[in-house]
Amino acid sequence: MLLEVNPLVLPDPGLMIWSAIAFFILLFILGKFAWKPIMKAIHEREKGINDAIATAEKVKAEMAQLQSDNEKLLVQAREERAVILKEAKDIKDKMISDAKEQAKAEAAKIMAETQQAIENQKMAAIVDLKNQVGNLVIEVSEKVLRRELGNKSAQETYIKELTNEIKLN
Amino acid sequence: MSLKHSKPLLAVAFSLYISFFCNSIFAQETPHHDVTVSVAPGHEKEEKFDIATTILEHIRDDHSWHLWGHVSIPLPVILKTDKGFEFFSGARLVNEHHEPAVYNGNYPYKTFEGKIKVVNADGTINEEATGKILDISITKNVASMLLTVVLLLILFLNVAKAYKKTGVTSAPKGFQSFIEPVILFVRDEVARPLLGEKYERFMPYLLTIFFFIWINNLLGMVPFFPGGANVSGNIAFTLTLALFTFVITTVNGKKHYWQHIFWMPGLPVPMKIFLIPIEVIGAIIKPVSLTIRLFANMTAGHILALSLIGMIFILESLSASALAVPFSVFISLIELLVGFIQAFIFAMLSALYFGMALEENHEEDLVL
């Protein structure tokens, strides 16, 4: 046999048996009392680290979310302020224009009333004047008629006098 | 870590030790010396052969653990024979000159190239009786392997305790911080990419096989007592581990895996039949390749390191060590890397085979 030529490549059954026993002992004891707790510990530590990283990520995301929320709120507030300001301005303008309008109307009304009153007064004055003129005419006529209509020149002077009197009135 | 740092130092120490050893051999030129056993009349011609024997003696298994010079620890021999179990010390198998000697138990035993054989009265091997005995001795490799087991248990149970004590919130400390990246390496580079979601089920196996091979590789590189055995360079050891991988692959084989072996989808029937033996051989070749890869890599490393040291012996000059020692240190550093890479490859290929066995039917849509 070729294998028997070199004892190096001839597996010795005794050593095989002992190898198997030794390996079984190792596999059993180490598997139960070493690898299990070690792997568990390593796994737990990795899990802990992963959890910590995940939590940090989450917090970071939350912070970013908060920040963006804040910014959004700020923008919203700004917009609202602008709207409110605009509304206030509109109201102010409207109020002013309304007041102006009202004032104008009022002024026009007052003017009209005043004009009416003036007209009334004027009419009253005219009527009064007419009455006075009438009375004067009657008075003058009376005076003229009372005098004899002899003297022409005197008449004329008298008429002149009378007219002057009228003018004075 | 400290092993890494002291490695070149160890190599230098080993080289010096060997060179002194060598000097004493050639100064004495005693024919019964254990390394140069066959140095007899025409030793100039046989020196090269002696180096090969010495290297093979270092690589192979033994019934005693050599410490230094003539001192070695005898290891217990356990034999299962047809006349019952037999226990005796490995010291009985050698004489006072550390040469193999006959020990009379149930049968007369004698070691030939480290293996126990039954001998006849005239000293020849009795093949028939040898076939009946099963050698389950605590050999050098077994002892070294058990040492690795103890080492791994102490290390990892302590690491596990450290995890329990410090909890998961604190950073790893001490040896824990050295081991954790390796465990993560096995998980993230081996298990997860090749096994996907189901990786957790195979993690204990992959981690155990990775560290078992790695520590054995490292211990094998230590040239003196606590190491010195060539466990991961022994084909029996690598075959056993490869068989574990093979059994797990086979047990976990899903429909898709078996279909690809016995009835390749999307091919005409004659082609399917033609592919069956090829695929069956392919499935068996996988553990064989695992076995041979680790065995050959580790054995080659040992042979290379020893050959470089052997230069000093071949050239019979201490000045050869000026070249041999730096080369040996260099090879040792490479072997340190190879030790890790081979453990990684063994675990990775195991994971790859498991991944192939677990694969669901994804390709059928494409084929149809």
Side-chain angles (χ1 to χ4, degrees):
Chain A
M1 278 287 286
L2 191 73
L3 279 178
E4 277 166 356
V5 172
N6 197 336
L8 268 182
V9 290
L10 198 65
D12 177 32
L15 187 55
M16 280 185 74
I17 292 167
W18 283 110
S19 298
I21 291 170
F23 189 73
F24 262 125
I25 292 171
L26 268 186
L27 193 61
F28 179 75
I29 297 180
L30 288 184
K32 200 160 186 184
F33 300 108
W35 305 134
K36 219 170 158 187
I38 289 173
M39 291 310 290
K40 203 175 140 230
I42 289 175
H43 190 74
E44 265 171 30
R45 187 191 298 146
E46 278 182 351
K47 202 169 155 280
I49 291 168
N50 280 347
D51 283 356
I53 290 171
T55 311
E57 266 325 293
K58 218 173 109 194
V59 168
K60 215 169 120 189
E62 267 171 19
M63 286 290 285
Q65 180 68 34
L66 266 178
Q67 211 165 8
S68 79
D69 276 2
N70 277 349
E71 245 156 54
K72 222 186 269 170
L73 271 176
L74 213 63
V75 167
Q76 219 174 343
R78 257 190 221 131
E79 270 169 14
E80 254 169 45
R81 192 188 65 172
V83 167
I84 287 168
L85 277 177
K86 199 170 162 281
E87 267 173 17
K89 211 179 156 232
D90 285 354
I91 289 168
K92 185 194 80 179
D93 287 353
K94 200 168 166 273
M95 271 171 82
I96 288 170
S97 73
D98 278 4
K100 267 185 187 164
E101 210 100 322
Q102 218 172 347
K104 248 186 215 164
E106 204 74 7
K109 207 177 141 197
I110 288 167
M111 283 289 271
E113 272 172 9
T114 315
Q115 227 138 18
Q116 188 67 42
I118 289 168
E119 200 68 26
N120 287 349
Q121 291 283 323
K122 203 172 87 185
M123 289 308 285
I126 287 169
V127 169
D128 199 33
L129 197 62
K130 269 180 188 168
N131 287 344
Q132 275 187 357
V133 168
N135 283 343
L136 279 171
V137 169
I138 292 163
E139 239 173 89
V140 170
S141 310
E142 209 179 56
K143 276 172 185 171
V144 170
L145 285 171
R146 254 177 228 162
R147 275 196 188 182
E148 274 110 358
L149 296 168
N151 192 349
K152 204 183 171 184
S153 65
Q155 271 186 333
E156 278 172 3
T157 319
Y158 189 56
I159 289 166
K160 260 183 196 171
E161 206 180 10
L162 282 176
T163 47
N164 278 343
E165 263 175 43
I166 294 163
K167 267 179 194 172
L168 277 170
N169 276 329
Chain B
M1 290 297 275
S2 62
L3 194 69
K4 248 184 197 172
H5 290 304
S6 58
K7 190 64 214 168
L9 211 87
L10 295 183
V12 171
F14 177 55
S15 328
L16 286 174
Y17 156 75
I18 292 286
S19 58
F20 282 125
F21 190 44
C22 143
N23 277 353
S24 69
I25 291 164
F26 289 105
Q28 290 170 15
E29 288 201 357
T30 42
H32 57 76
H33 205 282
D34 60 348
V35 178
T36 50
V37 180
S38 53
V39 176
H43 82 257
E44 258 131 19
K45 276 180 194 170
E46 280 181 298
E47 259 167 29
K48 270 190 185 176
F49 176 72
D50 276 342
I51 289 306
T53 318
T54 311
I55 288 171
L56 288 178
E57 257 171 28
H58 274 92
I59 285 165
R60 69 157 198 236
D61 212 351
D62 206 356
H63 287 279
S64 65
W65 204 332
H66 182 251
L67 292 184
W68 59 80
H70 290 287
V71 184
S72 55
I73 302 173
L75 295 164
V77 176
I78 305 166
L79 294 177
K80 184 186 172 292
T81 64
D82 54 348
K83 292 177 191 167
F85 282 97
E86 209 171 355
F87 304 89
F88 55 92
S89 164
R92 305 270 186 94
L93 288 165
V94 287
N95 62 16
E96 67 270 24
H97 301 305
H98 291 262
E99 283 163 351
V102 177
Y103 169 76
N104 287 303
N106 290 342
Y107 294 99
Y109 303 115
K110 195 180 175 190
T111 56
F112 288 90
E113 294 183 327
K115 297 199 180 191
I116 293 178
K117 309 271 187 195
V118 179
V119 287
N120 296 322
D122 59 352
T124 55
I125 301 170
N126 182 343
E127 292 290 353
E128 195 203 332
T130 303
K132 285 183 200 159
I133 63 162
L134 176 65
D135 183 3
I136 45 171
S137 315
I138 307 291
T139 57
K140 190 168 81 170
N141 280 343
V142 174
S144 176
M145 193 165 60
L146 294 179
L147 184 74
T148 312
V149 169
V150 171
L151 210 64
L152 280 170
L153 287 180
I154 292 169
L155 280 181
F156 287 103
L157 293 181
N158 272 328
V159 168
K161 211 194 280 167
Y163 273 104
K164 271 182 196 153
K165 207 165 74 182
T166 60
V168 293
T169 46
S170 61
K173 266 185 209 165
F175 202 74
Q176 195 188 355
S177 61
F178 171 65
I179 286 303
E180 190 173 316
V182 185
I183 292 174
L184 289 179
F185 175 77
V186 172
R187 192 193 64 177
D188 295 335
E189 303 297 322
V190 177
R192 265 189 183 161
L194 297 169
L195 292 167
E197 298 274 299
K198 296 162 210 146
Y199 80 95
E200 263 174 63
R201 236 175 76 211
F202 297 98
M203 274 307 281
Y205 178 78
L206 294 176
L207 283 170
T208 309
I209 210 155
F210 174 79
F211 282 106
F212 195 32
I213 293 173
W214 191 26
I215 299 296
N216 266 321
N217 286 350
L218 290 179
L219 269 186
M221 288 174 59
V222 179
F224 39 77
F225 169 59
N230 183 24
V231 183
S232 52
N234 190 297
I235 201 158
F237 175 79
T238 61
L239 179 65
T240 311
L241 296 186
L243 280 177
F244 273 109
T245 294
F246 178 68
V247 167
I248 293 175
T249 310
T250 311
V251 165
N252 281 297
K254 289 255 162 30
K255 188 189 156 209
H256 183 67
Y257 173 74
W258 295 115
Q259 200 182 17
H260 266 253
I261 290 177
F262 290 114
W263 208 243
M264 183 71 88
L267 288 176
V269 173
M271 203 61 196
K272 284 183 186 201
I273 293 163
F274 176 70
L275 277 178
I276 292 170
I278 295 176
E279 287 290 331
V280 169
I281 290 167
I284 295 164
I285 289 244
K286 281 171 195 165
V288 172
S289 76
L290 278 180
T291 308
I292 292 173
R293 183 179 299 107
L294 183 57
F295 153 74
N297 267 289
M298 296 328 290
T299 303
H302 281 252
I303 290 174
L304 201 52
L306 286 166
S307 302
L308 284 166
I309 294 299
M311 293 280 282
I312 306 165
F313 296 81
I314 294 164
L315 298 172
E316 278 187 67
S317 133
L318 203 60
S319 57
S321 63
L323 198 69
V325 171
F327 266 122
S328 173
V329 171
F330 175 67
I331 288 298
S332 291
L333 289 174
I334 286 184
E335 279 303 302
L336 202 65
L337 197 67
V338 169
F340 178 83
I341 290 171
Q342 286 307 318
F344 164 63
I345 288 179
F346 200 105
M348 196 197 69
L349 287 176
S350 296
L352 184 75
Y353 298 154
F354 300 161
M356 283 161 82
L358 286 170
E359 203 181 354
E360 297 295 343
N361 228 341
H362 295 307
E363 290 162 51
E364 210 161 64
D365 305 331
L366 286 173
V367 174
L368 292 171

